[in-house]
Amino acid sequence: MSTIIVIGGGIIGLLTARELAQAGADVTLIEMGTTGRESSWAGGGILSTLRPWRYAEPVTALVQWSQRRYPELCGELFERTGIDPEHSRDGLLIVDVPDPAPALSWGREHEMAMETLDGSAIRAAAPKLVHESECALWLPDIAHVRNPRLIKALRRANNRAVRIREHQEVVELLVSDDRVAGVRTHTGVHHAETVVVCAGAWTANLLEQLGRPPAIAPVRGEMLLFHADPGLLSRIVLAGEHYAIPRRDGRILFGSTLEQSGFAKTTTAEAKELLHEQATTLFPMLRRMPIGGHWAGLRPSSPSGIPYIGAHPGIAGLYVNAGHFRYGLTMAPASAHLITDLILGREPILPPAPYGLDAPR
């Protein structure tokens, strides 16, 4: 039985550890803080890229494989743990699409349901929305999950199959004769035959000691949560760069910002004011709703948004699964399955070349 260490306890690390353990590997997951409390917790949980026709094919391939897997995964986790990730196929309404032809062509090519709506149909789809749009796109099959619950369910499901070590920061990757030998944390050394780095925005810092780190950098995103009544919003709405996501209990998430701030994860009054202004302009009824939360997370950006999934080119036994930018949750099932295929020598679910650490992006 192979001994594997997974570094990072976000959605990518948790699902990677789960896939490896289910395949029979002896897995330890090491997380510098609390599992699932970074970008996996901070995001909105939309299981799609926001304008899918604009993304590179390697991103689309991961997203579509994951979209097919998510209903079954959420059902498995609910049955096993009693925690409902709230997979909800509410659909995505994109209200500012002046030229829908490229999107519709992309939708036909990728077999994604997509249709145009005019002014009256837009108002019928989102009665509380105030927006001057003559043409919108409706994607009825797009779903979202309640990401904190998904993370909690995964953490509980992994309890028996994976050793989870929280609040242990990996400070060094141990290498001997160009082969990984384990990791060093503040509390000691952990030996392993294989190490998988799933450290999100912190991945490049960890790999820098070995040279040629991937081009992954943190991008801060801030979100607002409104306490609203159930039914006020029944679908995901995207307008410009901002989106609103309904939860089953009536809460509405509104996001997000894109801020180059290094590893500073603090929220700002400016971002809160901007998000509130945008939210209440699009949905005036939110002016009467109390703000239930304001938080920030650090997304692991990468060139063209294409994550790094594969073996380190110079160190045997060292793998990377990181750099998913805004869509770690969206691409997680496929990414975890693909890296497990590569580690165990199985037939990969997708051609792995575009995700290699040296692949052009």
Side-chain angles (χ1 to χ4, degrees):
M1 180 182 292
S2 58
T3 303
I4 301 177
I5 288 175
V6 174
I7 303 173
I11 183 68
I12 298 296
L14 285 168
L15 269 179
T16 297
R18 184 175 189 265
E19 288 283 346
L20 288 164
Q22 287 182 332
D26 179 11
V27 184
T28 298
L29 184 148
I30 301 178
E31 161 60 37
M32 66 179 180
T34 302
T35 51
R37 292 297 297 182
E38 294 294 341
S39 60
S40 300
W41 177 89
I46 302 174
L47 301 182
S48 173
T49 45
L50 294 180
R51 289 178 174 82
W53 62 94
R54 294 184 178 179
Y55 286 83
E57 281 300 312
V59 173
T60 297
L62 291 170
V63 170
Q64 292 199 309
W65 195 97
S66 297
Q67 287 171 333
R68 293 189 294 269
R69 169 68 175 130
Y70 254 116
E72 182 182 12
L73 173 62
C74 290
E76 290 171 0
L77 292 172
F78 189 14
E79 182 178 357
R80 182 175 179 83
T81 68
I83 301 170
D84 186 2
E86 294 190 6
H87 181 274
S88 303
R89 188 175 278 115
D90 292 332
L92 170 63
L93 180 68
I94 307 174
V95 297
D96 48 356
V97 187
D99 179 13
L104 294 171
S105 175
W106 181 94
R108 288 189 295 269
E109 179 183 351
H110 292 85
E111 299 181 342
M112 176 175 285
M114 190 181 297
E115 62 179 291
T116 58
L117 302 180
D118 61 14
S120 59
I122 295 170
R123 288 188 293 274
K128 302 296 183 181
L129 172 69
V130 175
H131 193 276
E132 298 295 329
S133 178
E134 296 182 357
C135 181
L137 279 175
W138 169 236
L139 286 65
D141 293 334
I142 300 304
H144 61 97
V145 294
R146 197 157 179 170
N147 39 309
R149 294 191 178 190
L150 174 66
I151 292 294
K152 187 177 180 180
L154 268 173
R155 173 67 167 81
R156 184 174 294 180
N158 278 352
N159 274 344
R160 293 184 179 179
V162 177
R163 286 182 297 275
I164 297 178
R165 305 287 184 258
E166 296 182 317
H167 306 290
Q168 295 192 33
E169 182 179 359
V170 173
V171 295
E172 183 183 2
L173 298 169
L174 303 179
V175 177
S176 177
D177 297 326
D178 294 327
R179 180 167 191 87
V180 75
V183 304
R184 186 187 307 277
T185 70
H186 288 299
T187 61
V189 170
H190 302 262
H191 296 286
E193 302 166 15
T194 304
V195 173
V196 192
V197 182
C198 305
W202 290 265
T203 296
N205 288 359
L206 190 56
L207 292 171
E208 192 171 15
Q209 61 183 275
L210 304 177
R212 298 163 63 192
I216 298 174
V219 176
R220 184 171 66 196
E222 299 188 44
M223 299 275 289
L224 279 185
L225 170 68
F226 291 87
H227 284 300
D229 299 324
L232 284 180
L233 184 65
S234 59
R235 60 197 81 250
I236 308 164
V237 175
L238 173 65
E241 296 304 315
H242 297 100
Y243 50 80
I245 308 168
R247 297 304 196 207
R248 292 181 186 176
D249 61 4
R251 298 181 187 189
I252 295 174
L253 273 67
F254 193 86
S256 67
T257 61
L258 290 169
E259 306 166 67
Q260 302 289 339
S261 58
F263 285 92
K265 204 177 69 171
T266 54
T267 57
T268 65
E270 293 81 7
K272 184 177 182 180
E273 182 178 353
L274 169 67
L275 290 171
H276 191 268
E277 179 182 358
Q278 292 292 323
T280 55
T281 298
L282 290 169
F283 300 96
M285 49 82 173
L286 290 179
R287 296 188 184 119
R288 306 190 305 273
M289 308 300 169
I291 294 176
H294 173 216
W295 62 86
L298 299 178
R299 307 180 182 96
S301 70
S302 57
S304 300
I306 301 173
Y308 296 87
I309 307 171
H312 188 280
I315 308 297
L318 180 61
Y319 294 81
V320 176
N321 189 7
H324 296 74
F325 195 26
R326 306 177 79 172
Y327 303 112
L329 202 83
T330 310
M331 295 188 273
S335 299
H337 203 293
L338 179 58
I339 195 67
T340 300
D341 290 341
L342 299 176
I343 292 169
L344 300 182
R346 305 185 310 201
E347 181 69 23
I349 56 168
L350 297 170
Y355 312 106
L357 272 69
D358 288 338
R361 283 168 170 76

